[in-house]
Amino acid sequence: MQKVWFVTGSSRGLGRNFVAAALSRGDRVAATARSTASLKELVDVHGDAVLPLEMDVTDRAAVFESVRRAKEHFGRLDVIVNNAGYAQVGAVEELTEQELRGQLETNLFGAVWVVQAALPYLREQRSGHIIQLSSAAGVIAMPLGGAYHASKWALEGLNEALAGEVAEFGVKVTIVEPGGFATRNGNNPDPLANGHMATTDPAYDGLRERLGAMAGKMPAGDPAAAAQALLKLVDSANPPMRVLFGKGFHPLIQQAYADRLQTWADWQDLSIEAHGPLRAG
């Protein structure tokens, strides 16, 4: 069945590939970007099947208006893809208040506004699929990515809660966790390499050099292949709540979770002690 998509961050990268894949198979897409000029090529090729919408996800009123226009234009909404976002890079000590707030405004609050705008329509339909682009950086963390990790870890928890809230309305939620993808001319598969840089403190120069020497070691994923995988995901009758996109990160995540479980087990005596004596009655 033909689906109607609402995709944020459609101007380039994974978002652009998601839109192109959906349109190529005959679906219809409301594609949002900060500037609709970047979407002209899609309109030229696909005509009325694509609705270009100029939208900044940090503008809550604009998000609600764009979702309303998409629903009014196409008559329904089936797949909501929260893709817009960026990576703020810098040691925690280096981050300014504006940089941290900006990261959360786009990656976290922007996603919340889209969900809040779309959910009334999805609940009324008793159907729909919300796709949240998180990251492998949403389940493991590395130095210099604190702001980005904070936004993605928050999205993980928010969408897990959301999945339990909307299941009874027939609405599905999937958190997609990409590793490194070649989203800029085939370069920079490192998920933190394409971000905004904080003003550097020389105290962290050594750390930056060590991490820089390791960056880009994993092969970059193909955004077009990721788009085809997303089509299979939205067509699934029983999609997962979480899914990794790309090679290489699964072993790292396995080790990270094993380490956490072991640490909790190693410190279980202190955990019990912290509870205090049981009280009668």
Side-chain angles (χ1 to χ4, degrees):
M1 185 183 77
Q2 186 186 63
K3 289 181 170 64
V4 175
W5 299 56
F6 184 94
V7 183
T8 68
S10 299
S11 61
R12 59 180 174 81
L14 288 172
R16 181 59 167 254
N17 280 270
F18 294 159
V19 171
L23 290 170
S24 294
R25 73 169 191 173
D27 288 351
R28 296 176 292 171
V29 182
T32 81
R34 287 176 179 265
S35 170
T36 54
S38 62
L39 305 174
K40 182 179 184 301
E41 182 181 345
L42 291 173
V43 176
D44 290 344
V45 173
H46 298 282
D48 292 342
V50 58
L51 174 66
L53 295 168
E54 188 169 302
M55 188 188 82
D56 181 342
V57 294
T58 66
D59 185 339
R60 188 174 188 271
V63 170
F64 272 71
E65 175 61 16
S66 293
V67 172
R68 185 197 65 78
R69 286 180 59 192
K71 168 61 165 61
E72 185 176 83
H73 183 81
F74 291 122
R76 63 182 290 112
L77 297 171
D78 300 305
V79 184
I80 308 298
V81 182
N82 260 328
N83 169 72
Y86 68 94
Q88 174 64 56
V89 181
V92 171
E93 187 180 0
E94 294 171 337
L95 297 171
T96 66
E97 178 181 351
Q98 182 178 1
E99 287 168 339
L100 182 55
R101 289 186 181 277
Q103 181 77 114
L104 296 175
E105 286 287 347
T106 297
N107 291 10
L108 176 61
F109 285 94
V112 173
W113 305 152
V114 172
V115 168
Q116 290 183 342
L119 263 179
Y121 302 122
L122 304 186
R123 283 192 290 102
E124 183 181 15
Q125 294 170 180
R126 310 292 292 187
S127 67
H129 196 170
I130 296 170
I131 304 290
Q132 175 60 59
L133 266 290
S134 176
S135 169
V139 287
I140 56 176
M142 59 185 290
L144 306 184
Y148 184 62
H149 292 306
S151 69
K152 294 300 186 181
W153 284 48
L155 282 171
E156 294 268 343
L158 184 110
N159 279 274
E160 185 169 335
L162 175 67
E165 294 165 358
V166 301
E168 65 181 287
F169 305 117
V171 178
K172 303 166 185 174
V173 177
T174 296
I175 305 166
V176 175
E177 299 155 336
F181 277 82
T183 55
R184 295 194 180 194
N185 301 319
N187 297 321
N188 293 332
D190 178 4
L192 296 182
N194 292 330
H196 297 204
M197 296 295 298
T199 300
T200 59
D201 184 323
Y204 298 98
D205 285 350
L207 175 62
R208 260 183 289 276
E209 290 176 7
R210 294 192 298 274
L211 292 175
M214 295 186 295
K217 298 299 184 183
M218 290 186 182
D222 180 0
Q228 293 303 311
L230 188 67
L231 294 182
K232 291 184 178 180
L233 194 64
V234 301
D235 289 343
S236 172
N238 186 30
M241 189 176 71
R242 283 185 173 86
V243 61
L244 288 167
F245 270 21
K247 299 177 182 178
F249 277 92
H250 186 246
L252 297 178
I253 292 171
Q254 282 184 306
Q255 187 60 55
Y257 274 84
D259 290 345
R260 290 171 197 173
L261 289 169
Q262 187 61 55
T263 299
W264 283 321
D266 290 345
W267 288 85
Q268 180 67 2
D269 289 346
L270 187 66
S271 301
I272 294 170
E273 181 182 330
H275 188 83
L278 295 177
R279 297 181 180 180

